[in-house]
Amino acid sequence: MIGILKFIRGYVQIKIWGFAPERFLNLCSNKNILLWDIRRDGDTYYMCISLAGFRQLKSIARKTKTRVVILKRFGLPFLIPKIFARKVFIAGLCAACLFWFWSSLYIWEIKIDGNIAITDEVFTDFLKENGVYVGVRSGSVDIEQLEKDIRREFGEITWTSVKLSGTSLMISVKESDAILSPVQEDITSDLYAEKEGVIVSMIVRSGVPMVKIGDSVEMGTLLVSGRVPVYNEDATIRHYQYTRSDADIYVERIRPVYEVLPFYYIEKVYTGREVKKYYITVGGKDIIFGGAPHFTYYDTVIQTRKISPLEGLTLPFSFGTYTYREYQNTERAYTLEEAEELLKEKYLIFLSDLEEKGVQIIEKNVKIDTGSGIWILEGELTVREKIGTELPFTETEGEPPAQTTESE
């Protein structure tokens, strides 16, 4: 804090020498003139003194027969005249301040956070339709209305927060964990097999089971019927009640495995040649200085830097570099070890996908072989998985006739 005050008021570094420099220091102390950073070099003294104190040294120097020379000047009293002497710099500073003020009236960055099911592109298109885009005047955006419009447009969004921070519009949303459809309590349905296999487990909660444990079923086999018969006393069917079939039915089945890998592949071999181009982005368009390199094959690495002179103030342009790295396509052949490793990776991914779907693997029988120009991993898995596809029906659709007896 003291250093800031010294800089504002201004101070100088001086050098004194002569008949009685020690008396000079004593007289400064008696007159409450502050001296600091005092250093002696032989008969010469170096020190710092405030600008106000320096103006009182003339009489003291005369009495002590010493000479005083200014070595360096510090502080605003010396800096401001130099600044105002440079008219071009002052004009540029004023123009920059005006430009920053003008930029602060617009939105130059839109940040969307929390969206998973809704892509950024869909969200951006929706915002444009509602007049919210990069470059729009911030005062024209109604924050509360925008929050309501987002919740109204996207039913899967349960919470929305829109905040304007400087030139950045930050939108935070929370999507529902699951998109719930209304439960239809009065639906009637059957369960059909969508896969073949041998039934090993069966728990029926509602409906009439049409198969039993140990049965072999094919695709399209009726597993559970939603038509529940109500019998007369003589065991004939009086009528049917209709319900929604619900059951957990598991089958064991053989599932084939087939993964292939070509003998040869194309490998990128980098030559070490690189070309770096600078670019600026204005209005969402990249302007590259120098254009693309004359490489046949190359990768592009883009580095972007946004200009934010102040927290929350993003200017409407950015800059960066395009780095082009040349490479050549070289044909390589997989070794046996490499082919086995890659095919095993594919195989493990396949198994992981099955386990995520709740499929239990009972037995594995796979092998790696070669075919016409390819490596092959093939075999069979014995798996246990749940089956049962629900197909709704109306009560009059395909209704079996009720068996009744005439009363005499």
Side-chain angles (χ1 to χ4, degrees), residues 221-289:
T221 301
L222 177 61
L223 302 175
V224 179
S225 174
R227 301 169 178 85
V228 182
V230 178
Y231 293 94
N232 293 311
E233 294 181 358
D234 58 356
T236 59
I237 298 175
R238 181 184 183 91
H239 62 270
Y240 288 91
Q241 292 182 346
Y242 300 91
T243 185
R244 183 175 188 173
S245 299
D246 184 18
D248 291 335
I249 303 174
Y250 290 85
V251 297
E252 282 191 6
R253 58 191 293 261
I254 302 298
R255 187 157 190 164
V257 179
Y258 188 79
E259 299 287 350
V260 298
L261 190 72
F263 280 157
Y264 300 96
Y265 67 98
I266 300 299
E267 180 183 17
K268 290 182 179 180
V269 179
Y270 289 93
T271 64
R273 296 174 61 193
E274 291 186 355
V275 174
K276 181 178 287 187
K277 304 287 185 178
Y278 293 91
Y279 78 96
I280 60 173
T281 301
V282 180
K285 296 182 178 180
D286 292 348
I287 302 174
I288 304 174
F289 300 101

Side-chain angles (χ1 to χ4, degrees), residues 184-209:
Q184 299 178 341
E185 297 294 342
D186 57 346
I187 191 172
T188 54
S189 63
D190 294 329
L191 285 183
Y192 288 87
E194 74 279 16
K195 301 168 186 175
E196 76 287 348
V198 178
I199 298 177
V200 294
S201 174
M202 187 171 181
I203 299 176
V204 179
R205 284 181 286 272
S206 64
V208 179

